[in-house]
Amino acid sequence: FATPPVPPMRITFDARMEPSGPVLTRRMSDLRGLFADTAAWEAALAEDPVVYEVASSPVPEAEGELPQSITTIHPGRVGGEFHMTKGHIHPRPRGEIYLGLSGVGGLLLFDGDKPQWIPMEPGTIGYIPPGWAHRSVNTGDEPYRFLAVYPGDAGHDYDWVLRNGMGYRVLSGADGPLLRPF
Ligand code: F6R
Ligand code: ZN
């Protein structure tokens, strides 16, 4: 172990599954280069709203550990494209599970070849196999919240998504989310 292992513990994010503990906040200004409509993104910078928050458990990101986090993506769109996470790939290929807690959204997966879309709602488990980049999208009009559990030695590479994209853009359509290849 690169860091000392932690003892068994009971971890609570609180009864309403609201983020508590260390929270990473991602604002519109943190999402440069991700939305297709650059003019709409620049217009949104005036208010620079919080797009999503990630509340992490105290389990360290170290080999053998299983850290967890709860992400809350606030509803909204940028030029018709739904609010989303930056997206990343794990440089050490590792599986990860997501569990939908509230709201509706989706899990976009990309292996550099073919994108996949997993609709998520409370109770859905989305499985991310090793080697697949992943991004979450809020396709509803209330906060979309999910639990993530991942091996502590996975690491996070955000540049891969900036270089390769995610295969689809997720836009708001008349009959629900519209997946447009790019
Ligand atoms: C961890 C994981 C999630 C995301 C979170 C925010 O491996 O996949 O906890 O980190 O949903 O998304 P990113 O990290 O892409 O900003
Ligand atoms: Zn991940």
Side-chain angles (χ1 to χ4, degrees), residues 107-128:
L107 172 54
L108 182 57
L109 296 145
F110 190 44
D111 63 355
D113 181 24
K114 285 195 170 63
Q116 301 271 334
W117 174 250
I118 299 178
M120 296 285 295
E121 58 182 33
T124 307
I125 289 178
Y127 179 61
I128 302 158

Side-chain angles (χ1 to χ4, degrees), residues 16 42 44 48 58 75 80 102-103 125 146 154:
R16 291 185 312 146
E42 277 170 4
D48 201 14
S102 63
I125 289 178
F146 62 93

Side-chain angles (χ1 to χ4, degrees), residues 76-97:
R77 289 165 219 169
V78 177
E81 204 173 350
F82 285 117
H83 277 187
M84 61 188 179
T85 59
K86 292 173 80 163
H88 60 265
I89 194 164
H90 298 292
R92 290 214 178 80
R94 298 285 185 265
E96 176 164 11
I97 55 169

Side-chain angles (χ1 to χ4, degrees), residues 12-14 17-20 23 53-57 68-72 101 145-148:
T12 56
F13 281 86
D14 106 4
M17 299 290 188
E18 292 290 349
S20 63
V23 178
E53 291 144 292
V54 187
S56 297
S57 83
Q68 323 96 52
S69 57
I70 289 179
T71 301
T72 304
L101 299 175
R145 185 170 290 139
F146 62 93
L147 169 77

